[in-house]
């Protein structure tokens, strides 16, 4: 009796929502609510109102879902359950029913998710499946749930991990990774973390990728959902490994899976891209001619297509031009930088048109690769012509650069010290280019009014007027004036060490 009860509870845990609703409605119970509510309601029904009729309904629902199973008891009997357990009739043991035992630790039987397929990742090649996609089941109404899972490594798998080469110091190329996605059997599922996720491996918490800060105002940080490497915390022996996933139960269904994978680097994918996906120069020319072919129904005729030789990702000259086969544009981006950026932050989005750019659709442009070898570094743009040929765009760029470099109009420089230059005399006609006075009677004024700088220009005192020149000229030889000038304070000098009232004219 107790053994049949345990098996019935295990079968109920594997039911879908439709199966649970059918079971509950046949027994006169409410069938509304989320799946975890339905599971708890059905388990309570089996425990409290166990009867042959209920057992028959559970068996029919289970056999309709698993028609290939040879027997309903043998198919769902947990491995490792002691034989004496079936003879126990104590009701106190019902709390641990539906659990098997490993080293004294009980665990609920995991529920494989129905046909959940995870999307393949370019940087991970699956070698073995250690835990198939299994749904995370809530066991109560708490927001935080713990879902334990157990798997073992074979000796061959353990040796693969030990003998693997390192892609980075301390990180091997063969890893055991944990992946989480939505429980949905339609299409392939991308990695998606539940809220408040935490992963404990053999009683030690492992690192889960954090959130990326957002540079845009008002945009919440985004967490990169990628496989979690749990290799450092595993037992590389026949000892089973226990994983506990803590997750937030907010109505969505999630599944967890564990795989043995080989990890590739951006350099590995680049080498593979050079071998397997290079579009020939002839095929690229045909593509260009198709785009520039004259369309009689179109009112606008395109005679050329300009393509930049600067990578839109890093604003540097292209090294290996790459684009996506499904994109309509001819503009390329650098393959090396694109793979390196997706290795750190996988987005797989075309940097030119923002459309999906999966690794399987990347190709190297053979024609643009030849153009990059034939052109010099100063050429940043080319134009494809209708016949498939091309021409560099150099003059236009240099003209634009010169225009940006000089924002002032070009006017001829006029030397104001030369009368013939503009038809006018210098600032002081009585002062020559050598700084000497043209009249001997104003020798004192000539010395004070004009000095010769090292560059040959005349220093003219613009504060002197005709009256001051006359006064200075009439008393040029008087000794009293000389004493007064000696006692007068030195002329003021500004912060740049020149006389305050002097202006140099060149």
């Amino acid at each position: 009796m107790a053994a049949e009860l345990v098996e019935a509870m295990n079968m109920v845990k594997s039911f879908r929502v439709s199966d649970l609703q059918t079971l509950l409605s046949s027994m006169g119970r409410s069938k509304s609510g989320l799946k975890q509510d339905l599971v708890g309601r059905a388990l309570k029904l089996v425990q409290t109102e166990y009867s042959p009729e209920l057992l028959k309904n559970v068996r029919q629902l289970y056999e309709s879902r698993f028609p290939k199973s040879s027997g309903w008891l043998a198919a769902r009997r947990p491995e490792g359950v002691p034989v004496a357990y079936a003879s126990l009739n104590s009701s106190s043991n019902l709390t641990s029913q539906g659990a098997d035992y490993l080293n004294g630790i009980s665990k609920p039987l995991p529920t494989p998710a129905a046909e959940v397929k995870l999307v393949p990742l370019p940087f991970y090649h699956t070698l073995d499946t250690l835990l198939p996609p299994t749904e995370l089941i809530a066991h109560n109404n708490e927001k935080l749930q713990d879902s334990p899972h157990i798997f073992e490594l074979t000796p061959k798998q353990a040796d693969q991990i030990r003998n693997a080469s390192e892609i980075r110091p301390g990180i091997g190329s063969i890893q055991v990774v944990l992946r989480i996605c939505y429980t949905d059997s339609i299409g392939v599922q991308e990695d998606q973390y539940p809220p408040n996720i935490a992963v404990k491996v053999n009683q030690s918490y492992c690192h889960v990728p954090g959130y990326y800060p957002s540079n845009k105002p008002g945009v919440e940080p985004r967490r990169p959902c990628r496989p979690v490497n749990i290799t450092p915390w595993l037992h590389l022996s026949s000892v089973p490994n226990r994983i506990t996933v803590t997750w937030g139960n907010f109505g969505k269904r999630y599944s967890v899976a564990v795989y043995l994978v080989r990890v590739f680097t951006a350099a590995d994918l680049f080498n593979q891209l050079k071998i397997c996906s290079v579009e020939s120069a002839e095929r690229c020319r045909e593509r260009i001619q198709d785009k520039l072919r004259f369309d009689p129904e179109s009112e606008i005729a395109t005679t050329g297509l300009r393509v930049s030789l600067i990578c839109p990702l890093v604003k540097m000259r292209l090294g290996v031009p790459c684009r996506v086969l499904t994109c309509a544009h001819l503009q390329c981006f650098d393959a090396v930088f694109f793979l390196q950026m997706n290795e750190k932050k996988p987005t797989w989005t075309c940097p030119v048109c923002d459309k999906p750019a999966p690794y399987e659709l990347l190709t190297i442009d053979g024609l643009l690769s030849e153009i990059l070898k034939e052109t010099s570094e100063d050429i940043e743009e080319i134009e494809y012509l209708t016949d498939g040929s091309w021409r560099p765009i150099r003059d236009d760029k240099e003209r634009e650069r010169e225009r940006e470099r000089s924002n002032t109009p070009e006017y001829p420089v006029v030397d104001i010290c030369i009368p013939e230059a503009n038809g006018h005399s210098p600032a002081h006609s009585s002062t020559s280019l050598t700084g000497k006075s043209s009249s001997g009677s104003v020798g004192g004024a000539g010395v004070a009014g004009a000095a010769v700088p090292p560059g040959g220009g005349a220093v003219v005192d613009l504060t002197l007027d005709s009256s001051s020149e006359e006064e200075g000229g009439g008393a040029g030889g008087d000794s009293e004036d000389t004493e007064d000038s000696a006692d007068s304070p030195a002329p003021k000098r500004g912060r740049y060490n020149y006389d305050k009232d002097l202006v140099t004219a060149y």
Side-chain angles (χ1 to χ4, degrees), residues 3-118:
E4 293 180 355
L5 180 60
V6 171
E7 300 300 338
M9 294 178 65
N10 288 333
M11 286 191 294
V12 168
K13 291 179 181 179
S14 66
F15 283 174
R16 303 179 202 176
V17 174
S18 58
D19 300 331
L20 294 169
Q21 290 176 345
T22 303
L23 177 62
L24 292 172
S25 61
S26 64
M27 300 302 294
R29 300 299 178 92
S30 174
K31 60 178 182 179
S32 62
L34 300 176
K35 182 177 180 179
Q36 54 265 27
D37 300 330
L38 299 178
V39 171
R41 203 175 299 153
L43 290 176
K44 186 177 180 181
L45 175 66
V46 172
Q47 291 179 9
T48 57
E49 299 185 11
Y50 182 77
S51 63
E53 182 184 359
L54 178 60
L55 177 60
K56 181 181 177 180
N57 292 340
V58 172
R59 184 186 303 178
Q60 289 177 351
L61 289 172
Y62 181 81
E63 290 178 351
S64 65
R65 184 180 179 190
F66 302 100
K68 296 182 180 180
S69 58
S70 58
W72 72 278
L73 285 175
R76 299 301 295 174
R77 184 178 298 278
E79 298 178 1
V81 177
V83 178
Y85 180 78
S87 62
L88 296 179
N89 295 322
S90 174
S91 60
S92 61
N93 291 328
L94 292 177
T95 57
S96 61
Q97 291 171 355
D100 57 4
Y101 291 85
L102 183 64
N103 297 330
I105 302 175
S106 63
K107 73 174 186 68
L109 189 68
T111 305
E115 300 178 357
V116 174
K117 295 181 180 179
L118 284 155

Side-chain angles (χ1 to χ4, degrees), residues 6 19 85 101 113 129 134 139 153 188 198 262-264 314 357 371 378 424 476 490 497 499:
V6 171
D19 300 331
Y85 180 78
Y101 291 85
T129 301
T134 304
H139 301 284
L153 293 173
V188 292
R262 181 183 297 276
V263 183
F264 296 115
V314 291
I371 294 174
D378 59 337
H424 298 282
N497 198 20
D499 292 345

Side-chain angles (χ1 to χ4, degrees), residues 199-219:
V199 179
K200 184 189 291 185
V201 182
N202 297 324
Q203 307 303 320
S204 298
Y205 283 99
C206 65
H207 173 71
V208 178
Y211 288 90
Y212 284 143
S214 176
N215 297 328
K216 300 179 180 179
V219 178

Side-chain angles (χ1 to χ4, degrees), residues 144-164:
L144 285 181
Q145 299 287 331
D146 290 334
S147 298
H149 304 276
I150 290 180
F151 69 92
E152 297 181 8
L153 293 173
T154 64
K156 180 182 177 181
Q157 294 168 348
D159 291 338
Q160 282 181 296
I161 297 174
R162 290 193 196 96
N163 302 328

Side-chain angles (χ1 to χ4, degrees), residues 133-194:
T134 304
E135 186 172 357
L136 301 177
I137 301 296
H139 301 284
N140 50 46
N141 295 327
E142 297 294 331
K143 292 302 181 183
L144 285 181
Q145 299 287 331
D146 290 334
S147 298
H149 304 276
I150 290 180
F151 69 92
E152 297 181 8
L153 293 173
T154 64
K156 180 182 177 181
Q157 294 168 348
D159 291 338
Q160 282 181 296
I161 297 174
R162 290 193 196 96
N163 302 328
S165 59
E166 291 187 349
I167 57 176
R168 287 186 294 273
I171 300 178
S173 58
I174 304 296
Q175 299 177 2
V176 176
V177 297
L178 180 141
R179 299 182 66 181
I180 302 178
C181 66
Y182 287 130
T183 303
D184 192 350
S185 58
I186 301 176
V188 292
Q189 303 299 317
E190 296 183 353
D191 293 68
Q192 185 66 46
Y193 293 161

Side-chain angles (χ1 to χ4, degrees), residues 444-471:
V447 174
V452 182
V459 180
V460 182
D461 190 353
L462 300 180
T463 61
L464 296 177
D465 52 13
S466 58
S467 60
S468 61
E469 289 181 1
E470 293 175 359
E471 293 175 0

